[in-house]
Amino acid sequence: MTISDLDRLHSQLSRLEDMFPGYRTEIVEGDIMMSPVKPHHAETIRLVWNALREQVADEWGFTSGVAFPFDGDNEFCPDLAIIPASEVAKNEGAYPPDLIELVVEVVSKGSIRRDYEVKPRRYASRGIANYLILDPLQAQATTLWNPGPEGYRGRDTIPYGPDLTLDSALGKLTIATGRFPVDPKAPHPA
């Protein structure tokens, strides 16, 4: 039995993560990117996951930090992705990005360009209907929708505090942003 190049690469990335605990590894534009995961990052993911789990039908499942190979230069590991529950049940290490209905990224200092510039183009080009960026550095949430070949055509940004409503194929989803943690080391707007 032969191992595909993608399987081999994914195996190598898994070993890299094992060597550097506390870091998430993904391939972006052909480069291996490692980002530290901090408590406020994980707390944001937990709060969103819990809020959405209550609102999304049981036929949908949740993944976090699982690989989605887009092409030879990009293998993203979204902070949270909603895909069919039947796919999650397979318990794979990688899934096709075409399964994603909603994707969520939580910004860290090292991921600003990736989360705001690179990933929106890739996510939109694959037809991922909704992309939510949660930014504890700026205490704001950005929703992107209406995907096209060059990126998303719709975009709204709100400060943390009020409820965020996403109109999606999953239904009208509401997320309370008032409890989202803010990075205590980030310079905050006055």
Side-chain angles (χ1 to χ4, degrees):
M1 181 172 144
T2 62
I3 298 174
S4 73
D5 290 338
L6 185 57
D7 289 339
R8 189 175 7 267
L9 180 58
H10 185 66
S11 173
Q12 291 169 343
L13 287 177
S14 293
R15 280 188 294 226
L16 192 58
E17 284 183 338
D18 290 343
M19 290 170 38
F20 296 96
Y23 283 80
R24 185 179 71 165
T25 306
E26 57 188 355
I27 301 169
V28 179
E29 297 180 321
D31 295 324
I32 295 174
M33 308 300 292
M34 295 182 69
S35 302
V37 179
K38 295 185 178 179
H40 68 269
H41 192 99
E43 177 67 5
T44 301
I45 295 166
R46 185 189 67 77
L47 289 169
V48 173
W49 185 312
N50 290 345
L52 294 177
R53 179 71 274 164
E54 296 294 318
Q55 301 173 65
V56 173
D58 289 340
E59 70 233 28
W60 294 99
F62 294 73
T63 66
S64 181
V66 176
F68 288 87
F70 278 70
D71 54 42
D73 290 334
N74 294 282
E75 179 181 294
F76 300 145
C77 298
D79 289 319
L80 183 63
I82 298 180
I83 66 174
S86 59
E87 294 295 325
V88 174
K90 294 177 183 176
N91 199 35
E92 302 288 346
Y95 293 94
D98 301 333
L99 295 173
I100 301 173
E101 186 62 38
L102 168 68
V103 66
V104 179
E105 297 287 2
V106 179
V107 177
S108 65
K109 288 180 184 176
S111 75
I112 295 169
R113 179 179 169 278
R114 292 191 305 270
D115 292 340
Y116 281 108
E117 296 175 25
V118 177
K119 289 182 179 182
R121 286 192 312 270
R122 297 289 184 219
Y123 289 155
S125 72
R126 293 306 278 264
I128 297 170
N130 295 94
Y131 176 30
L132 173 59
I133 304 169
L134 301 172
D135 191 335
L137 303 173
Q138 297 184 60
Q140 67 183 23
T142 301
T143 61
L144 296 107
W145 70 94
N146 194 7
E150 299 299 317
Y152 288 94
R153 295 180 206 114
R155 177 188 185 113
D156 283 321
T157 301
I158 67 163
Y160 283 1
D163 287 354
L164 169 72
T165 302
L166 293 171
D167 288 317
S168 76
L170 301 168
K172 191 172 211 159
L173 306 173
T174 302
I175 302 168
T177 67
R179 292 184 44 216
F180 285 168
V182 176
D183 187 334
K185 296 180 182 175
H188 303 292

